[in-house]
Amino acid sequence: MQLTLWTYEGPPHVGAMRIATSMRDVHYVLHAPQGDTYADLLFTMIERRDQRPPVTYTTFQARDLGGDTAGLVTRTVAEAFERHQPKALLVGESCTAELIQDQPGALALGMNLPVPVIPLDLPAYTKKENWGAAETFYQLTRALLSDRVPAPGTAREQRPAGRRPRANLLGPTVLGFRCRDDVVEITRLLEQLGIDVHVVAPLGAVPEDIRRLPEADFNIDLYPEIAHTTAAWLQRNFGMPCSTTVPMGLGATRDFIAEVARLAGVDPAPVLGRERPGVARLDGSQSRMQWYARSVDSTYLTGKRVFIFGDATHAIAAARIATEEMGFTVVGLGTYSREFARDLRAAAQRYGVEPLIADDYLEVEQAIAAATPELVLGTQMERHIAKRLGIACAVISVPIHVQDVPARYSPVYGFEGANVLFDTWVHPLVMGLEEHLLQMFRGDFEFGDDAPASHLSHAGKSMQSQTPAPTVEPATSDPDAPPWTPDGEKELRKIPFFVRGKARRNTESYARERGLREITVETLYDAKAHFGR
Amino acid sequence: MTDLSALPPAHTCADIPVLRERGQREVFCGLTGIVWLHRKLQDAFFLVVGSRTCAHLIQSAAGVMIFAEPRFGTAILTDRDLAGMADANEELDRICVTLLERRPDIRALFLVGSCPSEVIKLDLAKAAERLNSRLLPRVRVVNYSGSGIETTFTQGEDNALKAMVPLLPATDQKQLLVVGCLADVVEDQFRRCFEALGIGPVHFFPPRRAAELPPVGRNTLVLPAQPFNGETVRTLIARGATVLPAPYPFGVEGTTAWLTAAATEWDVTPDRFHAVTAPMIERARTALARHRGHLAGKRLFMLPDSQLEIPLARFLHREMGMDPVEIGTPYLDRQMVAAELPLLPAGATLSEGQHLERQLDRVRAAAPDLVVCGLGLANPLEAEGIATKWSIELVFTPIHGYDQAGDLAEIFARPSDRRARLRV
Ligand code: SF4
Ligand code: SF4
């Protein structure tokens, strides 16, 4: 038994729902009690889907348990098939049904429906949502391609001369992070290279598209959490090579271009030739990010302490961007994706931090508090943590909330993605020049505590939910710390509100560690010197 | 509104056909009640013994993570518990004890059963007994089921309250016991109102602190404030209490009738009743009038969800002029809605249980002006051109009593107001 207050991932059948809902003409019959229908709202509310997920639940009750729950499964399958006419049917169970062992998948297979039926075995007591999504995508692909697997040793056909190279984009799903727009961005990028996108899956695909996957020359694994298993299977059985670079960030996008050009057998020069890493000019890259990062006003970003937590793919990519493209200092890096712990550990080593592999929200909160970052890049859980700690935050990974599914085009992959990330990470930080001015004029009555940074002053509610509310004291006093003298407190009040919470925390921990009896003006400046970098 | 006589019934409820449906239900399970119960009982912790699904459900229903350490959590069963490698009972005890060490403010611990814990027959009653022998008097451990195979949505509250009934101290004093979770602000309003009427002593169940349980006995008059606490009410009857049948305090009419039920027992004179309620009624009427334009003559379809459907349909029909086409309810507890059923219009269909797809077919065929439904269905129905209102708002928002009548009407008027404004 494991005590859980908040969970990063749902159960594995929610992952299966993400696959079914991403696709068209696929239906999922789920043997589950009525309460499990809550999962529909994740899709219709968080992602604002305008259709119900294609899921039919058996909603068995206690009174069914002694009787014929198996009959309920076959009736539900028959009805769902009749009504929704899917071209492929997924059949599985949630945690409770797993215990009563009706084997809904086998029951449905026995019904001889005229479409492929894919039984899903997703162990609810050991696995979680992303694993469930990956496994479902894999099982579905395997089942739909079972009759097309070539004999072992069959040589892969060469691309006919004159046909443009084709790639599949694997892994985008609903309730993923910015998948909708990443697909558009990467498709545009491949177009520049003369590569056609053959199939995008699961997002928007029909079962027939899955059967066409092997017709592409290679696969692009956009979201390893979802697509890695499938891509590896296609590689083993169809000899399809697969990309390994996740094109998030400017450097990674350039690496990605080089990699896919190689896989496709095309010349990357038309695109990469325009990229001039290190050139401080607007035309140094297709992305504006390169120039924005080098623009003098970005100097204040230098060495900002950033804590990163999310799924492994986005967290690892974010760490590279933070270090190489924003000039931040990574003070923490972690993931809840245990399946990718090894990759994250390697990345943590590159950036010289302890890896945090955890799905315990309180553990993450403690790690963040201990690292005293100035910016947190995380999931919506870290947004809440950061808000409580009075630290700026941007969301870079699922789990997300409704505000992380913007109406506007906002990919995080490719050249435009690099722009988007620059904007969204800088936005919560107080603008450099303003910070400077606020410091200079901090004694001025007009720059009292109620004067927020000008770019925040018109901020509505949504803005405030991402940044510490400007007029609120960001941190509360540590009850174990010695008391502040009136002079010390007065001096503390002179520090701008957006760094005051940190100053208070640092000073209090400094005083506590030294066993001081009170916190004076001197203590404040001693602590400042101690923590200053 | 000085008339203390019973409301004129439109007909007997036997006139209303009941459509019984079985099929897919799109309703939360009873675990959801934890989201509002833990706000009410400020010294209680709710520990679900279940799966990651259960944890995810509560998290999704709660919507936002307001609290770092909420007073609820899930002891997630793992393979080891199921395979019997770890003694699930020992594991549970360990989690409870650690949890309570971390939270010295907790005086009551609710062990909440789920589908998985029930299917594997984990005996939470035994667990509670065991823990009580260890933890009493500092912490009282109570168990109930919120499982989806046993309970729907608001039934979780019924089970939680029912589990506390045996703990209520005994009294022979004549007193009023209001049953059902109410927002504190509403509770305070009712308290002031009963006091002004000279009705007392008055207790509310659940109380704000689980350590301060109200007494019960043969001179206790129970006034249910929520229609979904049937089992609790019947258990209170078994402890000698008497129920005052009344419509629920939604809208002016419902609130007046509800207060009247108590006033009659305390022989409140019509004059006094009038003096106390008239100003509130006046206020409420003014508030309701503002929204009637959006609602009068509009056709209403309520999907089975919160169990509040029947009293709310009555309010929307009789006070706001809406025309209910179908009123769904997860289950029909006739005893709890005996005073409501006769007030429903004759033309409405009352449906019990659910076959989701068939019901949605009926929704489309009826093309109502407003559908009250769960969050999973709202946007898809909007996309079909049908205005909706999420029923979950009805359990998270204070809607009882005179001073909330306007807010209650506004909840239903907002979709129409919004549609009237939008030109996109
Ligand atoms: S329906 Fe059962 S398994 Fe599902 S969330 Fe509710 S209690 Fe847990
Ligand atoms: S509500 Fe009561 S009186 Fe009316 S028909 Fe039903 S059982 Fe009879």
Side-chain angles (χ1 to χ4, degrees), chain B residues 393-424:
Chain B
E393 203 166 335
L394 303 167
V395 289
F396 290 153
T397 316
I399 55 170
H400 292 72
Y402 292 123
D403 283 320
Q404 279 65 238
D407 303 340
L408 179 58
E410 200 267 344
I411 287 177
F412 297 100
R414 204 179 311 142
S416 146
D417 182 9
R418 181 152 190 80
R419 289 183 152 226
R421 290 166 191 258
L422 296 184
R423 292 285 180 277
V424 291

Side-chain angles (χ1 to χ4, degrees), chain B residues 313-389:
Chain B
R314 178 265 302 161
F315 158 70
L316 290 168
H317 170 62
R318 293 177 62 103
E319 295 190 53
M320 305 311 287
M322 289 190 91
D323 176 12
V325 184
E326 178 169 333
I327 307 160
T329 182
Y331 57 96
L332 184 58
D333 185 338
R334 286 187 181 273
Q335 187 181 4
M336 292 300 284
V337 288
E340 293 279 357
L341 289 176
L343 304 178
L344 293 179
T349 302
L350 192 58
S351 63
E352 180 183 15
Q354 192 171 29
H355 183 295
L356 178 64
E357 299 285 2
R358 281 209 291 266
Q359 192 166 39
L360 291 177
D361 287 345
R362 292 200 298 276
V363 167
R364 291 177 192 114
D369 299 296
L370 183 68
V371 173
V372 180
C373 62
L375 287 171
L377 295 171
N379 264 338
L381 285 172
E382 292 279 350
E384 290 187 34
I386 298 167
T388 61
K389 182 66 245 162

